[in-house]
């Protein structure tokens, strides 16, 4: 029961001599505020809650509504309200294509009738072929008959015919007259307006290997991508990305990273990059004949190198969006990481420019802290590899100088090296926040230090590196060959033993067990024993299959509880397993390699951009309907090489061409979504959003040092080029020679 309303006024009765009276107590009209105050607290709370809810819904719906209004205003023909299904959209594509290209007739072929898959990079609108909404694919051949009009190639932008009248650009609302535009060098593909984004209440169900409810997957049949219907995830709130520093084994928060204070250029580039003009869009490459995949990789390298040379020459990393650079150690990481790639790709002019910089500008006598692991695998490994491939003594002398400057890291009570070294002062120290070193860091420098000893005939480098492996071999605390992620530099014991993973901070430990054994002529039995025991531990504790489509993956153990989480870094494992089988290890390792390779491939194909996220989670529930789950904070792609690395090994050992096709699809996705028009490639924030992948304005050095190198070797028919019986690749893809076996 509610209390009776309280009268908050005085009742008065007035009369005059003519017996007229007035009483103000008759149903006096109350103000809105008085009515509001008469409501109970519960009623007022409910009203306020509903108003807040309406406000939130209004704010959330505003971007999508404004986008549809913009499209409708720019293109009255779109009839937004009428585009409720796929057929309407297909008909719209036909009408608009005819409007842009009058007189051009489509070639009807095997792709006619397929549902459209909008393809858009950071600066590219959907590129659709003529006909019934077909997708223009790089391997699809000619789209328009030569006798019926020009061949459409998306390498220059929209086709403007002299007789076609003005062309309206959907991304800018501009009217471009043919006589005001420079004639393109070749035929082009028009950029058509994007379809209105509408949520499909009945998402497709497909058969294996891509049974997906939320549009997270796409079919691959015969190595060809099929159509995909995307249903946006609802209710997931995007997390703000913390400022992070790229470390090969993990993403570490900036306040925990080992790096020098930011330079003026870093601070300037730290501001949010300006939106890229859609008019500068990088066109989707489409071939009208047999594709020279090797030349496509060279073109990608040249484009990346163009950006680095123009805006970051001699610095560690390119920031392609802001056209600036990032400095980590001040050692020209990208340039040195790329030396052997340029040699392998036959880019001799670029190689000569880089060599001249090494000769005249590279100086290790500077007061700077560097990370032992990163400097070893990128700089020391890059210099040693460049020396072996080119025979130039310059690279050997630089490698010897750097190696001697890294030695203070090993002066610890336990002989487990510190993580950081000042190469000018000759001092070393652990990270600011701990006395531990990462296990992957201290056990993934051996290939390089051992090779330096072999070349210099100075055993000190090999001795300190081998001592680390001997200590780890004898340490207690392993779990069927699996090791924790951290080791203490004072005690020499494992620390933080709760997490067992093949991902960040542990990955290359397992890789280098096998590769050291191969490098040394297969004579070091402790290394082989540790490797075989670790693989058995992986199969016993970490390998699982997803519920929906039985995809094999490698998870983690967190305090003895299984976590179905897999880093993209783990995709090194199929290639490493295949390399072991090639060198006489158990055949069942290859079965696991094949299954894991399929899963790593699915991590790409099931994303809307065709690029893998940094981390995925897997569903173990049979009735879930989707295998791969990507959390908002894990959707970024850093141009990582691990999957194409394993594709290279798998093709070399099996000759199965599907691995080449998968690598080609990945290269095309890099070109479509990460290529920056003025030079360079950028990592992106969201592989699930093809219309706005969110460039991060950073090109990691390993994109040139590893990713493009492995793609080139994957497509090369020359099996003797860097034969895997003669060379072993370090964890940064720098090839080092396998030592001859000692006489028995």
């Amino acid at each position: 029961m509610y209390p009776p309303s309280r009268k908050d006024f005085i009742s008065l009765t007035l009369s005059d001599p003519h017996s007229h009276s007035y009483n103000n107590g008759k149903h006096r009209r109350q103000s809105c505020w008085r009515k509001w105050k008469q409501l109970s607290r519960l009623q007022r709370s409910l009203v306020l809650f509903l108003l807040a809810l309406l406000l939130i819904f209004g704010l959330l719906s505003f971007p999508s509504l404004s986008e549809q209004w913009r499209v409708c205003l720019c293109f009255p023909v779109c009839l937004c309200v009428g585009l409720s299904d796929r057929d309407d959209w297909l008909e719209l594509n036909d009408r608009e294509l005819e409007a842009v290209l009058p007189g051009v007739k489509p070639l009807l072929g095997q792709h006619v009738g397929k549902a459209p898959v909008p393809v858009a990079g950071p600066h590219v609108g959907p590129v659709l072929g003529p006909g019934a909404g077909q997708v223009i694919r790089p391997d699809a051949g000619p789209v328009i008959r030569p006798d019926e009009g020009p061949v459409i190639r998306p390498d220059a932008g929209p086709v403007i015919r002299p007789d076609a009248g003005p062309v309206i650009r959907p991304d800018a609302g501009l009217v471009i007259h043919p006589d005001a535009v420079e004639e393109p060098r070749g035929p082009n593909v028009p950029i058509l307006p994007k379809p209105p984004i509408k949520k499909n209440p009945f998402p497709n169900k497909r058969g294996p290997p891509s049974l997906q409810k939320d549009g997270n997957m796409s079919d691959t049949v015969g190595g060809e991508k099929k159509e995909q219907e995307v249903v946006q995830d609802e209710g997931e709130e995007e997390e703000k990305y913390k400022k992070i520093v790229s470390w090969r084994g993990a993403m570490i928060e900036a306040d925990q990273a080992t790096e020098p204070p930011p330079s003026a250029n870093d601070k300037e580039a730290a501001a949010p990059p300006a939106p890229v003009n859609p008019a500068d869009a990088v066109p989707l490459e489409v071939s009208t004949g047999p594709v020279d995949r090797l030349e496509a990789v060279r073109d990608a390298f040249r484009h990346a190198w163009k950006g680095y040379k123009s805006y970051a020459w001699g610095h560690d990393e390119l920031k392609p969006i802001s056209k600036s650079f990032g400095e980590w150690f001040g050692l020209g990481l990208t340039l040195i990481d790329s030396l052997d790639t340029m040699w392998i790709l036959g880019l001799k002019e670029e190689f000569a420019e880089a060599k001249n910089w090494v000769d005249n500008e590279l100086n290790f006598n500077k007061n700077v802290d560097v990370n032992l692991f990163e400097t070893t695998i990128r700089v020391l490994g890059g210099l040693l590899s460049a020396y072996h491939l080119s025979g130039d003594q310059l690279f050997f002398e630089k490698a010897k100088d750097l190696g001697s400057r890294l030695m203070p890291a090993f002066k610890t009570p336990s002989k487990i090296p510190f993580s950081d070294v000042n190469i000018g002062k000759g001092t070393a120290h652990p990270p600011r926040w701990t006395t531990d070193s990462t296990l992957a860091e201290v056990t993934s420098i051996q290939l390089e230090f051992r090779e330096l000893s072999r070349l210099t005939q100075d055993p000190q480098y090999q001795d300190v590196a081998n001592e680390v492996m001997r200590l780890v071999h004898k340490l207690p605390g392993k779990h069927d060959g699996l090791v924790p992620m951290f080791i203490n530099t004072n005690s020499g014991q494992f620390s933080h033993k709760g997490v067992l993973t093949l991902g960040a901070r542990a990955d290359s430990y397992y890789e280098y067990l096998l590769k050291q054994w191969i490098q040394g002529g297969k004579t070091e039995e402790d290394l082989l024993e540790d490797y075989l025991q670790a693989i058995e531990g992986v199969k016993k504790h970490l390998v699982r299959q997803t519920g929906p489509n039985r995809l094999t993956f490698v998870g983690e153990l967190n305090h003895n509880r299984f976590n179905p989480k897999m880093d993209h870094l783990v995709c090194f494992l199929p290639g490493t397993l295949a390399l072991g089988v090639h060198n006489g290890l158990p055949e069942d390792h290859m079965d696991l390699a094949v299954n894991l390779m399929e899963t790593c491939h699915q991590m790409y194909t099931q994303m809307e951009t065709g690029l893998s996220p940094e981390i995925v989670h897997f569903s173990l529930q049979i009735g879930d309907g989707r295998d791969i789950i990507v959390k908002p904070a894990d959707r970024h792609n850093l141009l990582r090489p691990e999957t194409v690395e394993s594709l290279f090994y798998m093709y070399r050992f099996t000759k199965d061409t599907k691995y080449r096709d998968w690598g080609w699809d990945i290269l095309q996705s890099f070109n479509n979504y990460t290529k920056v028009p003025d030079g360079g490639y950028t990592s992106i924030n969201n592989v699930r959003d093809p219309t706005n992948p969110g460039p991060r304005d950073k090109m990691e050095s390993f994109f040139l040092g590893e990713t493009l190198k492995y793609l080139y070797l994957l497509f090369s028919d020359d099996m003797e080029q860097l034969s895997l019986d003669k060379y072993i690749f370090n964890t940064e893809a720098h090839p080092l020679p396998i030592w001859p076996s000692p006489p028995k």
Side-chain angles (χ1 to χ4, degrees):
M1 294 295 292
Y2 296 108
S5 60
R6 179 177 58 87
K7 293 184 178 181
D8 54 353
F9 59 92
I10 300 174
S11 178
L12 294 176
T13 302
L14 302 175
S15 61
D16 60 12
H18 303 286
S19 300
H20 296 126
S21 62
Y22 168 76
N23 190 320
N24 73 333
K26 297 178 180 179
H27 303 93
R28 173 173 159 174
R29 182 180 178 183
Q30 295 182 343
S31 68
C32 293
W33 175 248
R34 288 192 179 97
K35 291 181 179 179
W36 171 257
K37 294 293 288 183
Q38 288 176 4
L39 296 177
S40 69
R41 183 173 298 176
L42 176 61
Q43 289 172 321
R44 286 183 295 208
S45 299
L46 281 173
V47 172
L48 290 175
F49 175 77
L50 290 174
L51 288 174
L53 203 60
L54 286 173
L55 178 62
I56 292 172
F57 279 132
L59 291 175
L60 290 177
S61 64
F62 176 75
S64 61
L65 289 175
S66 62
E67 174 66 17
Q68 293 186 15
W69 293 340
R70 185 184 68 81
V71 173
C72 288
L73 289 174
C74 293
F75 296 92
V77 72
C78 74
L79 301 177
C80 293
V81 294
L83 293 177
S84 57
D85 55 36
R86 189 189 314 168
D87 294 333
D88 291 338
W89 174 234
L90 295 178
E91 293 173 8
L92 172 61
N93 287 338
D94 293 341
R95 292 199 302 270
E96 291 180 340
L97 184 63
E98 290 169 5
V100 176
L101 295 174
V104 178
K105 299 177 182 179
L107 172 64
L108 300 179
Q110 59 180 343
H111 298 289
V112 174
K114 289 186 181 179
V117 181
V119 179
H123 327 304
V124 186
V127 182
L128 301 177
Q134 71 207 56
V135 180
I136 298 179
R137 293 175 54 88
D139 53 354
V143 177
I144 297 177
R145 296 187 189 276
D147 57 342
E148 295 177 338
V151 178
I152 294 182
R153 290 174 58 98
D155 50 0
V159 176
I160 299 177
R161 294 173 54 98
D163 56 345
V167 178
I168 300 176
R169 294 220 21 150
D171 50 3
L174 300 177
V175 177
I176 305 174
H177 292 275
D179 56 355
V181 181
E182 181 182 353
E183 182 180 357
R185 289 176 293 178
N188 311 315
V189 166
I191 299 179
L192 300 182
K194 295 180 284 188
I197 299 173
K198 301 190 70 130
K199 187 171 68 174
N200 184 359
F202 302 104
N204 277 359
K205 284 191 176 181
R206 295 174 176 270
S210 54
L211 197 61
Q212 177 68 5
K213 286 183 178 179
D214 65 349
N216 197 28
M217 302 184 180
S218 61
D219 282 54
T220 53
V221 179
E224 184 175 11
K225 292 180 181 177
K226 298 291 184 178
E227 70 173 88
Q228 178 183 34
E229 293 194 5
V230 179
V231 179
Q232 295 291 345
D233 289 335
E234 299 267 336
E236 267 187 324
E237 183 175 294
E238 291 287 351
E239 299 178 7
K240 282 190 175 181
Y241 288 92
K242 296 181 180 179
K243 185 178 179 183
I244 49 182
V245 176
S246 172
W247 175 73
R248 179 170 184 83
M251 300 305 297
I252 305 179
E253 294 183 17
D255 59 354
Q256 294 181 341
T258 303
E259 61 173 356
S263 64
N265 290 6
D266 280 324
K267 293 176 181 177
E268 179 181 350
V276 181
N277 188 347
D280 297 332
V282 178
L284 176 66
E285 295 186 12
V286 178
S287 173
T288 58
V291 178
D292 187 343
R293 294 180 174 181
L294 293 178
E295 191 59 34
V297 178
R298 290 192 191 97
D299 288 343
F301 186 95
R302 291 189 190 101
H303 186 79
W305 190 252
K306 171 189 172 185
Y308 177 74
K309 184 178 176 182
S310 299
Y311 309 118
W313 181 252
H315 297 284
D316 286 343
E317 293 167 334
L318 168 67
K319 293 177 177 289
I321 304 296
S322 58
K323 298 180 181 179
S324 61
F325 59 84
E327 209 72 279
W328 197 357
F329 308 135
L331 300 179
L333 289 183
T334 295
L335 188 147
I336 297 177
D337 233 355
S338 306
L339 286 169
D340 53 6
T341 305
M342 290 183 279
W343 185 271
I344 293 166
L345 270 58
L347 303 176
K348 298 303 170 65
E349 181 180 340
E350 291 84 352
F351 181 85
E353 292 174 337
K355 175 196 166 185
N356 185 61
W357 183 88
V358 171
D359 190 13
N360 296 304
E361 302 294 335
L362 182 60
N363 178 22
F364 298 124
N365 187 22
K366 55 173 60 179
N367 180 18
V368 60
D369 283 356
V370 302
N371 179 271
L372 171 67
F373 166 71
E374 297 287 359
T375 305
T376 298
I377 66 171
R378 301 193 197 206
V379 184
L380 181 59
L383 292 170
L384 290 172
S385 176
Y387 167 67
H388 281 297
L389 295 178
S390 69
D392 196 309
Q393 194 72 15
L394 166 68
F395 301 118
F396 170 63
E397 294 299 330
K398 292 289 186 180
K400 186 166 60 173
D401 181 20
L402 177 60
S404 64
R405 293 175 182 275
L406 295 176
M407 287 298 288
F410 296 90
K411 295 178 180 179
T412 68
S414 65
K415 299 184 180 179
I416 299 297
F418 288 128
S419 64
D420 292 13
V421 189
N422 189 301
I423 56 176
K425 293 182 177 179
T427 59
H429 58 87
R432 294 190 298 270
W433 63 92
T434 181
T435 58
D436 293 341
S437 286
T438 300
L439 188 75
E441 290 189 343
V442 303
T443 58
S444 302
I445 55 178
Q446 280 68 23
L447 292 178
E448 299 82 0
F449 273 81
R450 286 154 52 112
E451 178 61 16
L452 186 59
S453 274
R454 190 180 75 89
L455 292 175
T456 61
Q457 297 299 304
D458 185 346
Q460 65 168 327
Y461 308 109
Q462 182 171 349
D463 288 346
V464 294
N466 284 348
E467 180 64 21
V468 175
M469 299 309 299
R470 282 193 289 269
L471 291 172
V472 174
H473 173 72
K474 297 183 295 183
L475 272 184
K478 297 179 184 177
H479 190 60
D480 290 331
L482 303 177
V483 293
M485 296 189 297
F486 296 99
I487 188 168
N488 190 273
T489 54
N490 292 325
S491 66
Q493 300 295 313
F494 291 131
S495 58
H496 306 288
K497 300 179 182 180
V499 178
L500 300 175
T501 177
L502 261 69
R505 299 187 174 95
D507 50 349
S508 48
Y509 161 74
Y510 303 99
E511 175 189 357
Y512 266 41
L513 287 174
L514 175 68
K515 289 184 174 180
Q516 288 177 79
W517 176 69
I518 295 173
Q519 179 194 45
K522 306 178 186 177
T523 60
E524 296 156 289
E525 294 302 317
D526 286 352
L527 296 170
L528 178 61
E529 176 188 335
D530 287 348
Y531 174 76
L532 291 175
Q533 187 179 10
I535 298 304
E536 291 305 308
V538 168
K539 293 194 292 184
K540 179 178 179 181
H541 298 290
L542 303 183
V543 172
R544 296 285 192 280
Q545 287 187 325
T546 62
N549 291 303
R550 314 302 294 169
L551 293 180
T552 301
F553 69 95
V554 176
E556 298 180 351
L557 277 184
N558 193 334
H559 298 280
N560 292 320
R561 295 188 63 180
F562 183 76
N563 182 9
K565 165 184 173 288
M566 178 169 154
D567 296 357
H568 183 273
L569 290 164
V570 181
C571 287
F572 84 91
L573 187 57
T576 300
L577 290 169
L579 180 64
V581 174
H582 179 71
N583 284 276
L585 300 189
E587 287 291 333
D588 66 321
H589 289 193
M590 181 59 84
D591 297 333
L592 180 57
V594 170
N595 292 332
L596 288 175
M597 191 76 260
E598 172 64 32
T599 301
C600 291
H601 174 232
Q602 291 297 319
M603 288 166 61
Y604 282 78
T605 62
Q606 293 183 18
M607 299 301 113
E608 286 79 357
T609 59
L611 294 173
S612 171
E614 179 74 0
I615 299 171
V616 299
H617 290 75
F618 293 93
S619 172
L620 301 177
Q621 304 301 319
I622 295 178
D624 195 346
R626 58 177 179 173
D627 295 284
I628 296 178
I629 303 164
V630 187
K631 296 183 178 180
D634 302 332
R635 293 178 176 179
H636 51 288
N637 179 285
L638 304 181
L639 313 174
R640 283 202 185 274
E642 287 77 21
T643 293
V644 294
E645 171 187 358
S646 286
L647 290 173
F648 158 67
Y649 284 108
M650 295 299 289
Y651 177 74
R652 278 282 178 102
F653 298 137
T654 68
K655 303 300 187 294
D656 190 334
T657 57
K658 74 178 182 183
Y659 297 125
R660 282 183 162 181
D661 295 335
W662 294 355
W664 178 249
D665 289 341
I666 292 172
L667 177 59
Q668 294 309 297
S669 294
F670 280 135
N671 282 331
N672 293 342
Y673 297 101
T674 70
K675 191 174 184 179
V676 180
D678 292 326
Y681 290 74
T682 177
S683 50
I684 59 176
N685 275 326
N686 192 353
V687 298
R688 298 295 310 276
D689 188 350
T691 59
N692 184 25
R696 297 165 69 100
D697 195 22
K698 186 174 184 181
M699 184 177 77
E700 300 277 0
S701 75
F702 52 64
F703 181 67
L704 297 177
E706 298 186 72
T707 307
L708 294 180
K709 182 187 299 169
Y710 280 129
L711 283 169
Y712 184 87
L713 294 173
L714 169 64
F715 300 144
S716 174
D717 291 326
D718 184 2
M719 297 295 108
E720 289 303 310
Q721 184 178 24
L722 297 175
S723 166
L724 294 174
D725 293 321
K726 299 176 182 177
Y727 288 91
I728 197 77
F729 287 84
N730 84 338
T731 196
E732 193 74 9
H734 296 306
L736 301 173
I738 296 174
W739 304 345
S741 299
K744 295 182 179 180

